[in-house]
Amino acid sequence: MKEQNERRDFLKKMAITTGSLSVAGVLNSYSSNSYVSEKESLPGSDDKYRLIPKGTGLPITGTFLDEITWDIPSQNWGYDKWNKDFDAMKKMGIDTVVLIRGAFGRYMTFRSEMLMKYEGKYMYEPAFDLMGMFLDLADKYGMKFYCGIFDTGRYWLTGDFKREVEINKLFLDEIQEKYGHHKSFYGWYLSQEVSRRTGGIVESFAEIGKHAKNISGNKPCLISPYIHGLKTDQVMSGDAVTTIEQHVRDWTEILSGIKGSVDILAFQDGQVDYHELKDYLVVNRELAGKYGMDCWTNVESFDRDMPIRFLPIRWDKLIKKLIHSQEAQMSKALTFEFSHFMSPNSAYIQAENLYRIYCEHFQIKK
C-alpha cells in the first residue's frame, strides 16, 4: 500500500510539473497541421519490421461521443468539424456511436425543458443542440446511435436512486418525443458507471432500462461498467483490488437484478493489467450469456499508464487488447473514444498517428 501511495504522489507531481509543457508541445505540433500523404510515405515501409501480422485482432466498429466531458478537455467543435470526424469514423469502419451522456451534473447536450423545470438554476443552458447535431450526422452516415441518459452525479451516488430514476424517466420521455423520429436512433446507453453494487445501481438500471424500452418500442439498452482493478482511482487511493472470483460474484448479483432491462454488456478494459485482461473478457462473456445479454468490449484508446491524464494509447497496447478481445470472442469492440484519441482531426497529434497505423494494420484505405 505504501508503494501505491508513493506512486500516486509521484504521478501527481509529474502531472503538475510536466503537464503544461506537454500540452503546449502537443498544440504546437498540431498547429503545423502536417499530414504525411501516401505519396510522401513509402508503401509497406513498416512491413519489414512488423511483428504482429496485419488484420490480427477484433476491429473497432463503435465509439463513444464524449462531448459532455468529465476529465478530458473539449475540442470545441462545431458542425463542420464533427461532420469531418464522422466521415473519418465511417472510413475506419465505425457503424455505431454512443452518446456517453445526454446530460451530466450541470451540463446538457440540448436545452432540456424538463431539467430546467425540475433542476432549476442548477443546470447550465447549452450553446448548441449537440443531441440534434449528432443524430443528424448519424443519420447522414448511416450509423446506429445509442443515446446516453442523465447522470446526475449526485442522487445515485448518495443512495437516492429513486430520485435518479424519477428524473431520468422524465428526461427520457422528452428525448423520445423530441428526437425519437431519427432513423439512426437505435438504442439507449445507461450512463452511470460502476464496478460493484453502488448507490442503488441495480434498482436504477432495472427501472430506467425498463422505462427506456417501454417508451421506444423495445430499443436495446447498453451499459459499460468497469472492473475494480489496480488502475481504478479507488485502488490507487488505497482500496483493495477485486479478484476475478469476487468480480464474478458481484456481477452475478447485479446482472440477475437487471435482466430484461439491459441488453448489452460492454465492460471497460483499461483498469486491469494487460496479462489479466483476457481472463476478465472471458468471464464477462460468460456472465453476459448467462443472463441473455450480448457482450461487447469497451476498448480504451487512451493510456492509463502515463503520468498525464489522458493521452492517446501506444499502438502496442491497443493491438494487444484487440487481439485479446478476438480471442475471448467479444461480439463487438467500442472505443472510448475515437474523436480525442484515434481521430486524424484530434487536437492530439498522436491520435492522427494512431489512426494511420490502425488503418494500415487492418488494411483500410483512408
Side-chain angles (χ1 to χ4, degrees):
M1 195 60 64
K2 181 180 178 182
E3 291 181 359
Q4 289 178 344
N5 291 334
E6 289 176 349
R7 179 173 181 265
R8 187 173 68 253
D9 292 341
F10 169 75
L11 296 181
K12 289 180 179 178
K13 290 177 182 178
M14 285 294 292
I16 291 170
T17 56
T18 66
S20 59
L21 177 61
S22 299
V23 171
V26 166
L27 294 179
N28 287 337
S29 297
Y30 182 69
S31 65
S32 67
N33 200 28
S34 60
Y35 189 89
V36 179
S37 69
E38 292 183 7
K39 292 181 179 179
E40 293 171 320
S41 63
L42 296 175
S45 57
D46 286 339
D47 290 347
K48 177 181 177 181
Y49 309 100
R50 192 179 303 278
L51 299 178
I52 298 175
K54 286 183 177 180
T56 309
L58 182 65
I60 293 169
T61 55
T63 183
F64 283 90
L65 300 172
D66 183 39
E67 194 49 31
I68 297 295
T69 52
W70 169 244
D71 49 10
I72 302 168
S74 172
Q75 299 190 101
N76 294 311
W77 287 349
Y79 178 84
D80 290 343
K81 293 281 190 179
W82 277 111
N83 179 51
K84 187 176 181 182
D85 214 49
F86 269 70
D87 182 62
M89 294 177 201
K90 187 73 173 181
K91 289 175 180 175
M92 200 186 89
I94 288 175
D95 59 21
T96 302
V97 290
V98 182
L99 180 61
I100 195 164
R101 305 172 186 100
F104 176 60
R106 296 177 180 270
Y107 299 96
M108 302 176 280
T109 55
F110 68 101
R111 192 185 191 284
S112 168
E113 300 298 334
M114 189 284 302
L115 291 185
M116 295 302 296
K117 177 179 178 180
Y118 291 100
E119 295 293 287
K121 294 181 180 179
Y122 182 78
M123 305 303 297
Y124 293 142
E125 294 199 43
F128 296 99
D129 180 3
L130 291 174
M131 179 80 76
M133 182 190 297
F134 290 150
L135 278 160
D136 284 343
L137 287 166
D139 288 347
K140 176 179 178 179
Y141 287 97
M143 296 179 179
K144 295 176 180 178
F145 179 90
Y146 283 76
C147 183
I149 64 172
F150 181 29
D151 182 347
T152 67
R154 295 183 292 159
Y155 301 128
W156 70 279
L157 289 173
T158 58
D160 189 2
F161 77 90
K162 291 183 178 180
R163 181 61 176 162
E164 191 85 7
V165 169
E166 290 169 359
I167 202 78
N168 262 293
K169 285 181 177 179
L170 295 171
F171 187 57
L172 268 58
D173 289 343
E174 184 178 20
I175 291 173
Q176 178 63 32
E177 181 179 356
K178 188 175 178 69
Y179 300 104
H181 64 280
H182 281 269
K183 64 181 180 180
S184 61
F185 199 144
Y186 191 83
W188 303 92
Y189 174 59
L190 310 188
S191 304
Q192 292 79 359
E193 298 177 7
V194 296
S195 62
R196 296 177 290 188
R197 182 164 187 155
T198 305
I201 197 63
V202 174
E203 297 83 357
S204 297
F205 278 165
E207 293 192 37
I208 296 171
K210 181 179 179 180
H211 183 77
K213 293 166 76 68
N214 285 342
I215 64 172
S216 63
N218 205 39
K219 287 177 179 172
C221 291
L222 161 71
I223 61 171
S224 186
Y226 59 97
I227 301 163
H228 203 80
L230 79 166
K231 297 182 186 180
T232 61
D233 289 339
Q234 298 96 319
V235 172
M236 292 287 286
S237 298
D239 202 0
V241 172
T242 297
T243 64
I244 196 166
E245 293 79 13
Q246 185 61 47
H247 173 80
V248 171
R249 287 193 292 269
D250 290 342
W251 282 94
T252 295
E253 180 184 6
I254 293 170
L255 296 181
S256 66
I258 63 177
K259 181 180 179 180
S261 296
V262 172
D263 304 276
I264 305 164
L265 179 65
F267 270 96
Q268 302 167 30
D269 75 349
Q271 291 88 354
V272 298
D273 214 342
Y274 296 96
H275 70 279
E276 304 174 291
L277 178 59
K278 184 178 175 180
D279 291 337
Y280 277 98
L281 291 171
V282 170
V283 299
N284 291 340
R285 177 175 53 78
E286 291 172 350
L287 283 167
K290 181 178 179 180
Y291 293 100
M293 301 175 189
D294 196 5
C295 193
W296 299 358
T297 181
N298 179 358
V299 182
E300 293 180 348
S301 45
F302 65 91
D303 203 328
R304 288 185 179 271
D305 304 326
M306 298 289 290
I308 302 170
R309 291 189 170 187
F310 289 105
L311 298 176
I313 196 169
R314 180 173 171 167
W315 169 244
D316 303 63
K317 298 176 181 179
L318 181 62
I319 187 55
K320 287 176 183 176
K321 294 199 294 182
L322 294 177
I323 290 171
H324 288 322
S325 298
Q326 185 178 56
E327 292 170 340
Q329 300 176 29
M330 298 289 103
S331 64
K332 190 177 184 70
L334 296 173
T335 187
F336 184 88
E337 49 76 62
F338 176 85
S339 296
H340 281 90
F341 306 118
M342 291 194 73
S343 171
N345 308 303
S346 172
Y348 298 113
I349 193 67
Q350 302 96 328
E352 178 184 331
N353 296 332
L354 186 58
Y355 182 79
R356 175 189 57 79
I357 201 168
Y358 175 94
C359 290
E360 287 176 356
H361 176 83
F362 285 104
Q363 302 178 70
I364 297 168
K365 293 183 179 180
K366 304 184 289 297

